[in-house]
Amino acid sequence: RKEVEQDPGPFNVPEGATVAFNCTYSNSASQSFFWYRQDCRKEPKLLMSVYSSGNEDGRFTAQLNRASQYISLLIRDSKLSDSATYLCVVTDNYGQNFVFGPGTRLSVLP
Amino acid sequence: GAVVSQHPSWVICKSGTSVKIECRSLDFQATTMFWYRQFPKQSLMLMATSNEGSKATYEQGVEKDKFLINHASLTLSTLTVTSAHPEDSSFYICSALLLGGTGANVLTFGAGSRLTVL
């Protein structure tokens, strides 16, 4: 089993749609969790950290379920500019080694 | 916020030559930096972990004699692709670990270096 797995994608959605990405991880002792986004031919950029209580940043909501080893990202009212690859990232139990999922590509269509 | 500068952004070189890529943390000290490679439409692949003042830790399958990593200071790590060949053409990205203190550690990326070997 891979350390971090994500929905294979791609997701093609119309503007304004709500889209959810799922991620599972294998290391039950993982300490920290993040969502990064990567635009084509660019570096990954931190979108948001994911906390156990769940957290929201504008149109983006992240959830963590430690018992199920599952992370999600919800994007509401999607914009064309949300088109990117979304990377689920999990650290080891020391929070020092970061493991990236393969990413899920999102295309928001006009 | 934490900024990581990577240079050069683009490089084209002849087969057999060596190319050095620099990764600098501009406003924080980074004892740990990571080097990744990404081929078109593929996932980010960790090549090695660079630790200041010690030898880098390479991932399985990555040749340490071909990809030389030096992390001589708390703000600079370099990756040298030695005797580059066309199959080394790729997008190389560095990242630096920003220690969070009481909060989570965060990974900040450089803008990447696109290497084309002719």
Side-chain angles (χ1 to χ4, degrees):
Chain A
R1 182 185 170 188
K2 290 183 181 176
E3 289 186 77
V4 180
E5 297 191 72
Q6 296 185 239
D7 291 328
F11 283 34
N12 299 312
V13 303
E15 265 187 294
T18 295
V19 60
F21 300 127
N22 301 308
C23 170
T24 56
Y25 60 96
S26 60
N27 181 5
S28 59
S30 293
Q31 184 184 93
S32 304
F33 311 87
F34 307 89
W35 284 101
Y36 278 73
R37 68 169 279 169
Q38 185 177 24
D39 293 287
C40 189
R41 300 171 76 87
K42 298 282 188 180
E43 77 278 21
K45 292 184 178 177
L46 178 64
L47 179 64
M48 58 197 302
S49 302
V50 187
Y51 303 114
S52 297
S53 54
N55 47 299
E56 188 175 305
D57 183 2
R59 298 181 292 109
F60 300 84
T61 301
Q63 297 279 353
L64 166 65
N65 184 322
R66 285 188 181 270
S68 302
Q69 294 174 212
Y70 166 85
I71 306 160
S72 67
L73 175 68
L74 184 76
I75 305 176
R76 291 182 299 279
D77 188 24
S78 52
K79 312 289 184 192
L80 296 176
S81 57
D82 293 334
S83 297
T85 295
Y86 289 82
L87 302 165
C88 175
V89 182
V90 175
T91 71
D92 61 12
N93 40 322
Y94 300 106
Q96 301 251 343
N97 289 308
F98 288 65
V99 182
F100 283 74
T104 303
R105 189 157 59 88
L106 170 67
S107 293
V108 180
L109 308 172
Chain B
V3 177
V4 174
S5 172
Q6 188 172 342
H7 177 81
S9 302
W10 296 81
V11 58
I12 301 173
C13 69
K14 290 183 179 180
S15 188
T17 60
S18 294
V19 174
K20 181 188 280 188
I21 302 169
E22 292 188 349
C23 181
R24 294 179 185 273
S25 55
L26 294 187
D27 48 2
F28 66 103
Q29 293 183 331
T31 54
T32 304
M33 292 185 175
F34 302 94
W35 287 96
Y36 299 83
R37 180 168 55 181
Q38 188 173 37
F39 293 107
K41 298 189 178 180
Q42 292 191 23
S43 305
L44 215 53
M45 189 196 82
L46 178 65
M47 298 175 67
T49 301
S50 171
N51 298 297
E52 187 269 334
S54 64
K55 290 183 179 180
T57 305
Y58 289 82
E59 295 299 300
Q60 193 172 13
V62 178
E63 299 174 59
K64 62 180 181 181
D65 294 329
K66 179 164 183 67
F67 299 99
L68 300 178
I69 291 172
N70 185 286
H71 194 157
S73 79
L74 286 170
T75 59
L76 174 64
S77 175
T78 61
L79 167 69
T80 301
V81 183
T82 62
S83 187
H85 288 94
E87 58 265 30
D88 297 324
S89 300
S90 188
F91 189 45
Y92 292 86
I93 316 174
C94 73
S95 67
L97 184 64
L98 177 62
L99 298 179
T102 54
N105 298 333
V106 175
L107 209 56
T108 301
F109 285 84
S113 300
R114 196 161 300 281
L115 171 64
T116 301
V117 185
L118 304 176

